[in-house]
Structures are given as C-alpha cells and as structure tokens.
C-alpha cells in the first residue's frame, strides 16, 4: 500500500460515501472504485459493502483502514521531525478551538501568524470546550483554545478572562428574572454548572425557559430580537449597547468569570511550528483581538 491508498481508505471511512470521498480526493468515482477494487484484489478480501446509500466497511476492512490511519499519522510525524531538523517553521499545525474562539478570534489570529510564517498549514477543529479538551488530552491536536478550567498538569496559558452576565433586551430587576422569558442554549458542562449553581443559590423556583437553542450565537440573536434574556459570557453581547447587561456575582460578592486558555503538552514545543505559534500568541492581547 502507498500513501494515496491510505488516504483513500481513510477518506472513505470518514465519509462512508464513494461520491463524497471522490470529491474530497479530487478523483472521479470510477477511478476511486477502480483503486478500491485493486486493493480488495491485492488483499484477497472484501473491504467495503456497497449499499443503496453509501458504503460500510467489513470487519476485515476496518482492520485495514485502522492500519492506514496509523500509517498516515506516522507519515505526518515523520514530516514534522524532518522539518524540525531543518530548523524551519513549516509543516502542519493542528489546533482544537472552542466555538466562540473559532468564530471571533481564530480567523484573525491565523491571518496574522501566516503573514510571518507563510509556509505553514493549519488544521483547525472546532467544537465544545469539553471536546477540544479531550482532543488535546489524546494528542489529536497540538494546542487547544478552551473555555473553562479543566484538569491539566501540563502547560496552560490563560489568555483572557470574561464575566458571565445576564443580557436582556429590556431593563430588569433581579427579582423579576424567574418570571421573565429565558433563552437557554447548549453549552459545555462547566458553563452549565456555573449558571445552574448561580441560579439556585439566588432563586428557589426554576427559570421560565421558553426557548432552547443549540448555540450561544443563536441565543444572542434571539435576545436581540426581544424574545427573552440569556445568561452567557459577556464578550458575546458586549458590542450591543441596546441590551441591558448585568454581570453575575457569587454569594461572596465575587464576579463570576470564565477563562479562555491555551492548553498544550510541554514536549510539543520541540516542534518548531508549535513553539513559534505559542510564542506568537503570547505577544498578542487576545481579549482585544
């Protein structure tokens, strides 16, 4: 098997669809099918099962594709090592980014970094902070930009802190909140616990949640359209001066805040591209970026 075969099997496994895989690999469907058939002939077994919609891998096919994925990872590590030996800032940087950071910070950050290092490639994965934490933990990415405090004994740089607040489209008093319509949204466990702990410390009744959405950005748009209030990180709503924004305080009168940090393994700094990127990030005011 050659590297193109590894890539073909990996892409097929990810998409479970010959049409989608051929598009990602810039191959015709006939060429992809021909190469797949050749692999099956070489191994003397069936790798995939063709169905009306898509494909599935046979048990033997899964063993082969796992080997292909392992070989692709080894190939990438080899390229990183060779680039490092040249003392060059090149190669592929793998970054896991929480949703808010991906939307508001990462595009400009990458643009600025690539001006200084135009030879780099970057693979960015986005999602909930809990998912990005798992990816850093499992070394699936070099660096994670993550909201909240997760158990971590390796390197972590706090980039900025922001208040958790109530944002409403109209003026309100604190004792009115339980009777006002609230827009809730899907978020990670740490943020959810922070909000719930604050609520039930201050109120006996449940919130009047009349809308539930999948992302904080949708929640913000609902608030701007005067459908209810939300409890969220203040940076999300700071640009909108028409909103009433009040930060939350704990029972001791301390503001409730949330950190955004850069998580990484210390030994990742042995890679020139990782060391250069982390050094570059630390020169910036990320909150104002």
């Amino acid at each position: 098997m050659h590297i193109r075969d590894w890539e073909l099997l990996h892409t097929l496994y990810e998409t479970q669809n010959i049409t989608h895989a051929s598009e990602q690999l810039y191959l015709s469907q006939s060429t992809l099918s021909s190469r797949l058939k050749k692999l099956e002939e070489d191994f003397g077994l069936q790798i995939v099962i063709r169905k009306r919609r898509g494909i599935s891998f046979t048990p033997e096919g899964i063993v082969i594709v796992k080997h292909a994925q392992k070989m692709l990872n080894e190939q990438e590590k080899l390229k990183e090592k060779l680039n490092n030996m040249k003392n060059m800032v090149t190669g592929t940087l793998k970054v896991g980014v929480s949703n808010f950071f991906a939307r508001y910070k990462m595009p400009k950050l990458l643009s600025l970094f690539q001006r200084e290092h135009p030879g780099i490639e970057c693979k960015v994965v986005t999602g909930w902070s809990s998912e990005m934490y798992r990816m850093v933990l499992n070394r699936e990415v070099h660096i994670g930009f993550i909201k909240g405090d997760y158990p971590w004994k390796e390197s972590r740089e706090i980039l900025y802190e922001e208040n958790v607040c109530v944002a409403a489209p109209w003026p309100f008093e604190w004792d009115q909140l339980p009777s006002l319509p609230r827009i809730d949204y899907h978020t990670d466990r740490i943020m959810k616990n922070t909000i719930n702990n604050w609520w039930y410390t201050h109120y006996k009744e449940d919130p009047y949640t009349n809308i539930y959405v999948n992302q904080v950005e949708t929640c913000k748009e609902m608030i701007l359209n005067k459908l209810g209030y939300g409890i969220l990180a203040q940076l999300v709503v700071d640009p909108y001066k028409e909103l009433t924004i009040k930060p939350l305080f704990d029972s001791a009168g301390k503001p409730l805040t949330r950190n955004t940090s850069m998580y990484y393994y210390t030994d990742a700094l042995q890679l020139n591209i990782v060391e250069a990127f982390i050094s570059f990030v630390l020169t910036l005011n990320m909150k104002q970026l």
Side-chain angles (χ1 to χ4, degrees):
M1 290 175 65
H2 300 289
I3 186 169
R4 293 292 290 168
D5 297 322
W6 304 336
E7 292 171 344
L8 182 148
L9 290 171
H10 169 71
T11 307
L12 269 178
Y13 189 72
E14 289 291 305
T15 61
Q16 301 286 307
N17 186 286
I18 287 177
T19 301
H20 295 163
S22 63
E23 290 172 353
Q24 289 189 25
L25 293 168
Y26 300 101
L27 295 173
S28 67
Q29 292 184 44
S30 60
T31 300
L32 188 150
S33 296
S34 177
R35 284 176 55 183
L36 179 59
K37 182 179 179 181
K38 179 67 166 57
L39 283 172
E40 290 179 325
E41 290 173 353
D42 289 345
F43 282 104
L45 50 82
Q46 188 174 6
I47 295 176
V48 302
I49 300 169
R50 293 159 178 79
K51 302 183 294 187
R52 284 185 61 190
R53 294 186 178 181
I55 59 170
S56 62
F57 277 70
T58 63
E60 297 86 352
I62 290 175
V63 172
I64 294 171
V65 81
K66 293 299 182 185
H67 173 75
Q69 291 171 332
K70 180 180 178 181
M71 295 308 294
L72 285 172
N73 288 334
E74 290 299 318
Q75 179 82 3
E76 193 164 322
K77 289 178 183 177
L78 176 61
K79 289 168 63 177
E80 287 178 345
K81 186 174 182 179
L82 292 174
N83 285 328
N84 229 47
M85 290 173 67
K86 299 175 187 175
N87 201 29
M88 296 168 58
V89 180
T90 59
T92 302
L93 181 71
K94 293 177 286 188
V95 187
V97 188
S98 66
N99 288 318
F100 177 85
F101 198 95
R103 182 181 179 93
Y104 291 99
K105 306 292 185 182
M106 201 64 188
K108 190 170 183 180
L109 172 57
L110 278 184
S111 176
L112 292 172
F113 183 64
Q114 286 186 330
R115 288 181 196 173
E116 293 196 10
H117 303 285
I120 68 109
E121 295 180 7
C122 192
K123 291 183 179 178
V124 179
V125 184
T126 64
W128 308 117
S129 288
S130 55
E131 296 169 348
M132 299 304 102
Y133 168 67
R134 177 190 57 76
M135 293 191 75
V136 179
L137 200 61
N138 294 336
R139 295 183 181 268
E140 296 173 42
V141 294
H142 296 126
I143 301 165
F145 290 97
I146 299 169
K147 279 183 178 287
D149 298 317
Y150 290 84
W152 190 250
K153 295 182 179 179
E154 289 280 337
S155 297
R156 175 189 173 192
E157 304 287 348
I158 297 176
L159 301 178
Y160 58 85
E161 187 180 74
E162 58 184 314
N163 290 328
V164 180
C165 70
V166 173
W170 7 253
F172 68 91
E173 300 298 330
W174 289 111
D175 60 1
Q176 296 176 306
L177 278 190
S179 61
L180 295 175
R182 173 168 150 187
I183 302 158
D184 206 355
Y185 56 95
H186 182 66
T187 185
D188 62 83
R189 176 181 52 82
I190 292 178
M191 183 64 164
K192 179 63 71 176
N193 288 344
T194 297
I195 293 172
N196 286 342
N197 289 340
W198 176 84
W199 182 271
Y200 291 108
T201 297
H202 291 80
Y203 303 105
K204 293 181 180 179
E205 59 268 67
D206 292 337
Y208 168 44
T209 302
N210 66 334
I211 299 176
Y212 186 91
V213 295
N214 64 333
Q215 290 187 357
V216 69
E217 281 301 309
T218 310
C219 174
K220 179 198 74 179
E221 292 300 322
M222 296 285 186
I223 297 169
L224 290 170
N225 281 279
K226 301 183 179 180
L227 295 171
Y229 73 90
I231 302 178
L232 62 176
Q234 192 163 334
L235 282 181
V236 177
V237 291
D238 256 350
Y240 304 96
K241 303 307 178 186
E242 67 269 32
L243 298 180
T244 299
I245 298 172
K246 295 184 180 182
L248 303 187
F249 295 85
D250 63 19
S251 55
K254 183 180 177 182
L256 286 184
T257 60
R258 201 170 191 212
N259 295 321
T260 293
S261 301
M262 181 167 56
Y263 289 71
Y264 57 95
Y265 281 100
T266 305
D267 60 15
L269 292 171
Q270 296 174 23
L271 298 173
N272 293 333
I273 191 171
V274 175
E275 193 279 332
F277 184 73
I278 289 172
S279 297
F280 180 76
V281 169
L282 295 179
T283 67
L284 302 175
N285 184 330
M286 294 305 301
K287 191 169 185 177
Q288 294 181 4
L289 186 68

